[in-house]
Amino acid sequence: MRAPVLNLLLIAGLTGASVLGTSVLGAGVLGASLAQAQTAAPAPQTAAVSPDAIKQREQELEAARARQKSAEEAQAKLKAEITSLGQDRTQLNQQLIDTAANVRAVETKIDEAEARLRALNGREQQMRSSLDSRRADIVEVLAALQRAGRRTPPALLVRPEDALQSLRTAMLLGAVVPELRGRAEKIASELGELVSLRKNIAGERDQLATDRDKVRSDQTRLTALVDERQRQQSSREKDLDAENSRAIALSRQVGDLQGLIAKMEQDLQSAAKAAEKAAEAARQAEAKAAANAAANVKPGPGAFKDRSRTTPAIAFASAKGLLPLPVNGNKIRDFGGSDGVGGVQKGISLASKPGAQVTTPCDGWVVYAGPFRSYGQLLILNAGGGYHVLIAGMERISVNIGQFVLTGEPVATMGSTSQVASILATNASQPVLYVEFRKDGTPIDPGPWWAINEGEKVRG
């Protein structure tokens, strides 16, 4: 009896079909018959649209109109909210930094969810392969259960849940011999795990969709806030466009980063003012740091809570262990390592997601913002005390020269590929952010400045 049943099951479409629920007994034969019937039937010359199809299209159109209306209402609400901020720099800074932090937090959640999904999908594939390789065993067990229970087994297999229920029911029958019971229990365990995996995957996908919707909403809000910040900045700097054009022209006259910094702070009015402010702020911060040291007061994240500040909260040298990385991503090159083109890495390189938000790692004045040689879009901050922070590889920069920015403030957006020439050859498939710290013109290891864990990061 076993051999005929096995042959029947195998011929009926088990070969090449997934045990996970895409095949049933006779699926191959039924599919072939349907294909033949479709081939033989003449194609109609005109396709009449059914009333149900018309109704469905009307519903889809109505849903699209509702979404558009909702988006317009959200935009209007956001515009009114930003207008209400007026010229209040503190509130605008608060909104910018908080929204940027939300965007980066959701970006992290999305990365984690995608990693979990990859692991779950890998486990599901393993379960598929395991069950696939044991088709004959499953057929034999179900055939034996048919004889033991004297009833027709379920179609193999419409869904994992069907086979699982059948096996659990059969195990309750006293007629199942111990060996068959053990094999049935093992198969039932694998099918049960598969059902659980599918539920977990569905849940992760739902959460991922929710997070992606949220990050899109937050990015829309952030774009509007950045536009308002730059509008206010432009109203203060009447000759902003001319300054930016002059900065680009000056950048073409120098060959290295140190020369660029010196040229900007010497020849460009807004950058020179920023450098003067940075020097004065550094003197004040160093005096305050000395006083705190005498009183044995160590700076912490709380020092950065004042969102109305127009100078660095603390001296850059005192900010070690407090600064956040400017983008979510993985470090692919560290300070002092190979730069990929035969030289030594003078900063760090972080591989990020396309379109990732870039925030400032520290307080400082923008002394350059624009393209520069092989660095793509380059942002240089004067952090005071002879320290400069260079950030390169972004697709778009959203701050202007002379502008003071706070730690955690959004300043740029990553593109879809690497913009830095030294990284392009080996990491062309993903955007890479390059970060360099300099003290008195010399690159230094930024490692001591980065926050050790999430709780110690400055949020502005």
Side-chain angles (χ1 to χ4, degrees):
M1 177 69 179
R2 178 189 301 176
V5 172
L6 279 172
N7 291 336
L8 177 59
L9 288 168
L10 292 172
I11 292 171
L14 282 171
T15 302
S18 170
V19 178
L20 294 178
T22 60
S23 298
V24 296
L25 279 175
V29 176
L30 179 58
S33 299
L34 288 173
Q36 292 174 358
Q38 290 170 353
T39 302
Q45 294 182 354
T46 58
V49 180
S50 68
D52 289 341
I54 295 175
K55 184 177 180 181
Q56 182 179 355
R57 290 176 186 175
E58 290 175 349
Q59 291 173 346
E60 290 173 353
L61 181 59
E62 187 64 31
R65 287 172 178 165
R67 287 194 297 269
Q68 182 180 0
K69 183 179 179 181
S70 177
E72 289 173 352
E73 290 174 350
Q75 287 281 2
K77 182 179 179 181
L78 178 58
K79 185 177 180 180
E81 183 180 342
I82 291 175
T83 301
S84 70
L85 294 176
Q87 298 296 314
D88 191 328
R89 176 182 172 84
T90 302
Q91 286 191 45
L92 182 59
N93 287 345
Q94 180 80 42
Q95 293 281 342
L96 277 165
I97 292 170
D98 289 349
T99 306
N102 288 339
V103 168
R104 291 191 58 181
V106 178
E107 286 177 348
T108 299
K109 285 182 65 178
I110 289 173
D111 288 344
E112 292 172 349
E114 288 176 344
R116 289 193 298 270
L117 266 176
R118 284 193 295 271
L120 289 171
N121 286 330
R123 179 56 184 156
E124 182 186 15
Q125 188 58 45
Q126 290 177 358
M127 294 296 302
R128 285 174 179 268
S129 299
S130 173
L131 289 167
D132 240 1
S133 65
R134 300 174 58 217
R135 287 180 185 156
D137 196 26
I138 295 173
V139 170
E140 187 175 354
V141 168
L142 290 178
L145 291 175
Q146 178 189 17
R147 295 193 298 271
R150 290 185 179 180
R151 63 187 182 88
T152 304
L156 185 72
L157 298 168
V158 176
R159 296 186 305 159
E161 292 89 340
D162 292 340
L164 178 59
Q165 183 59 40
S166 175
L167 290 167
R168 284 175 174 167
T169 302
M171 284 187 290
L172 298 176
L173 299 175
V176 179
V177 298
E179 178 185 1
L180 186 59
R181 179 185 180 87
R183 291 162 67 186
E185 286 176 342
K186 186 173 182 179
I187 295 171
S189 175
E190 291 188 19
L191 288 168
E193 184 178 352
L194 181 56
V195 171
S196 177
L197 273 173
R198 283 182 160 182
K199 290 180 180 178
N200 289 339
I201 289 172
E204 288 289 353
R205 284 176 176 161
D206 289 344
Q207 184 60 50
L208 188 58
T210 300
D211 289 341
R212 283 176 173 157
D213 287 342
K214 186 177 189 308
V215 81
R216 280 192 291 268
S217 174
D218 285 344
Q219 284 171 338
T220 300
R221 177 182 179 82
L222 190 59
T223 298
L225 288 166
V226 167
D227 289 344
E228 175 63 16
R229 178 191 64 187
Q230 296 315 107
R231 186 192 67 77
Q232 293 185 15
Q233 179 71 14
S234 297
S235 67
R236 301 186 189 103
E237 299 287 344
K238 300 299 182 183
D239 300 326
L240 196 58
D241 291 340
E243 282 271 270
N244 287 338
S245 298
R246 190 176 173 210
I248 301 301
L250 287 172
S251 71
R252 297 193 182 105
Q253 300 173 17
V254 294
D256 58 21
L257 288 170
Q258 185 55 27
L260 175 64
I261 294 171
K263 194 75 172 173
M264 293 301 103
E265 295 185 340
Q266 177 183 351
D267 293 356
L268 203 63
Q269 183 179 3
S270 57
K273 288 181 179 179
E276 290 175 7
K277 291 179 181 179
E280 177 61 28
R283 288 191 288 270
Q284 296 176 2
E286 287 168 359
K288 184 178 179 182
N292 287 338
N296 198 27
V297 177
K298 294 182 179 180
F304 297 84
K305 294 301 181 183
D306 179 13
R307 304 291 170 84
S308 63
R309 65 186 185 274
T310 56
T311 59
I314 58 176
F316 189 82
S318 301
K320 290 182 178 179
L322 296 177
L323 304 185
L325 290 170
V327 74
N328 292 334
N330 300 316
K331 188 186 295 183
I332 59 174
R333 289 181 187 166
D334 211 342
F335 178 83
S338 171
D339 65 358
V341 290
V344 176
Q345 186 91 345
K346 297 177 181 179
I348 65 170
S349 296
L350 302 166
S352 75
K353 290 281 189 181
Q357 183 64 54
V358 180
T359 56
T360 48
C362 64
D363 292 356
W365 286 266
V366 179
V367 294
Y368 185 76
F372 183 69
R373 299 191 180 276
S374 63
Y375 287 86
Q377 291 292 324
L378 172 67
L379 179 67
I380 302 177
L381 304 178
N382 187 330
Y387 290 95
H388 287 87
V389 174
L390 292 73
I391 308 173
M394 303 81 69
E395 182 176 76
R396 184 174 63 87
I397 295 176
S398 56
V399 290
N400 299 319
I401 297 171
Q403 194 170 338
F404 179 74
V405 291
L406 307 181
T407 304
E409 192 169 339
V411 291
T413 305
M414 299 301 292
S416 56
T417 59
S418 175
Q419 306 290 318
V420 182
S422 63
I423 298 170
L424 189 59
T426 54
N427 295 279
S429 62
Q430 63 183 140
V432 177
L433 187 73
Y434 176 74
V435 186
E436 182 177 310
F437 286 7
R438 289 189 171 217
K439 175 69 167 82
D440 298 327
T442 303
I444 59 174
D445 183 5
W449 273 266
W450 303 128
I452 298 172
N453 56 54
E454 191 68 24
E456 294 176 332
K457 289 182 181 179
V458 175
R459 290 301 183 191

